[in-house]
Amino acid sequence: MLVRDAMSTVVLTIGPAHTLRQAAALMSARRVGAAVVHDPDAGGIGILTERDILNSVGLGQDPDTERTHAHTTNNVVFAAPTWTLEEAARAMAHGGFRHLIVLDGGEPAGIVSVRDIIRCWVPALVS
């Protein structure tokens, strides 16, 4: 099975000036665990995850004043839609992260998460 078969095509894209509270509200409303951060001044495409927001709040930082650019991972590992799920899982395990931005033609086409991969590998239980 390929990444394109498992990835979510709901890609939330936010800017570097969003506050962490704004990012969290958007992520919650779309029920996603990561957002693509488009920041041309910092090299283009980065990722902000729920863990990044949690770490900031855990440090006592104010989510109403903290900006996403300060918490975005910019050295992102990207997946291709044609990667196998094994390749994606290997990249996640090697890098210690749970989300991969999927690029198709240089543009974000989706995000694949550990949860997406597990859903494909473990058949749904039917009652």
Side-chain angles (χ1 to χ4, degrees):
M1 187 168 277
L2 302 178
V3 164
R4 76 169 141 243
D5 302 319
M7 72 183 191
S8 169
T9 57
V10 175
V11 179
L12 172 60
T13 302
I14 60 176
H18 279 85
T19 66
L20 291 185
R21 184 173 309 279
Q22 290 170 324
L26 291 167
M27 291 164 66
S28 177
R30 287 167 180 79
R31 301 181 49 85
V32 297
V36 172
V37 180
H38 181 65
D39 187 355
D41 296 332
I45 299 172
I47 191 167
L48 179 78
T49 68
E50 56 201 357
R51 174 84 37 111
D52 297 323
I53 297 169
L54 180 67
N55 287 341
S56 174
V57 171
L59 290 171
Q61 296 173 338
D62 183 353
D64 290 315
T65 59
E66 285 296 309
R67 303 293 173 179
T68 59
H69 70 84
H71 302 277
T72 298
T73 300
N74 292 310
N75 57 339
V76 179
V77 174
F78 298 103
T82 55
W83 278 18
T84 65
L85 294 185
E86 289 80 7
E87 287 174 300
R90 192 174 302 112
M92 289 177 186
H94 179 73
F97 43 79
R98 299 177 299 153
H99 299 86
L100 285 170
I101 298 172
V102 182
L103 291 184
D104 192 6
E107 295 295 319
I111 293 184
V112 65
S113 69
V114 170
R115 179 178 292 146
D116 296 326
I117 293 171
I118 291 170
R119 284 185 184 138
C120 291
W121 284 349
V122 178
L125 298 176
V126 179
S127 327

